[in-house]
Amino acid sequence: IATPPTDNRVTYFGTITKSSSSTFTISTPKNETFEIKATAGTKYNDKYKFSDLKDQKVVVIASSATISGKTTLTALRVHLLP
């Protein structure tokens, strides 16, 4: 039986503080800051899309962490909270 692949998913809760053409930055309640890349495969809740990610919206991010010299976070699912 083969060993299952390593699960590199991580979850963050925070507030969007900055966004650009394909990335956004969140700040967590613990004052941690993470830059997260959005791709064509990123899923959003309800009818939201990347352009809806504005400053000060509280979000929950489920993302994958890939380590290649440094940590790169790529959003898999983004949930905008009311």
Side-chain angles (χ1 to χ4, degrees):
I1 297 176
T3 303
T6 303
D7 185 357
N8 290 330
R9 294 176 292 182
V10 292
T11 302
Y12 295 105
F13 169 80
T15 303
I16 295 176
T17 57
K18 184 171 113 177
S19 63
S20 66
S21 61
S22 63
T23 63
F24 57 96
T25 303
I26 65 166
S27 178
T28 70
K30 295 180 180 179
N31 293 321
E32 298 170 300
T33 302
F34 298 97
E35 184 175 271
I36 301 169
K37 180 180 177 182
T39 66
T42 300
K43 305 287 186 213
Y44 301 88
N45 64 316
D46 297 326
K47 60 187 180 297
Y48 297 110
K49 53 190 178 284
F50 183 79
S51 61
D52 295 320
L53 302 180
K54 303 290 183 202
D55 293 345
Q56 303 306 313
K57 282 192 175 177
V58 178
V59 296
V60 175
I61 312 297
S63 56
S64 66
T66 305
I67 299 173
S68 58
K70 69 173 198 160
T71 301
T72 303
L73 299 173
T74 303
L76 299 173
R77 293 196 67 84
V78 177
H79 295 276
L80 282 74
L81 302 177

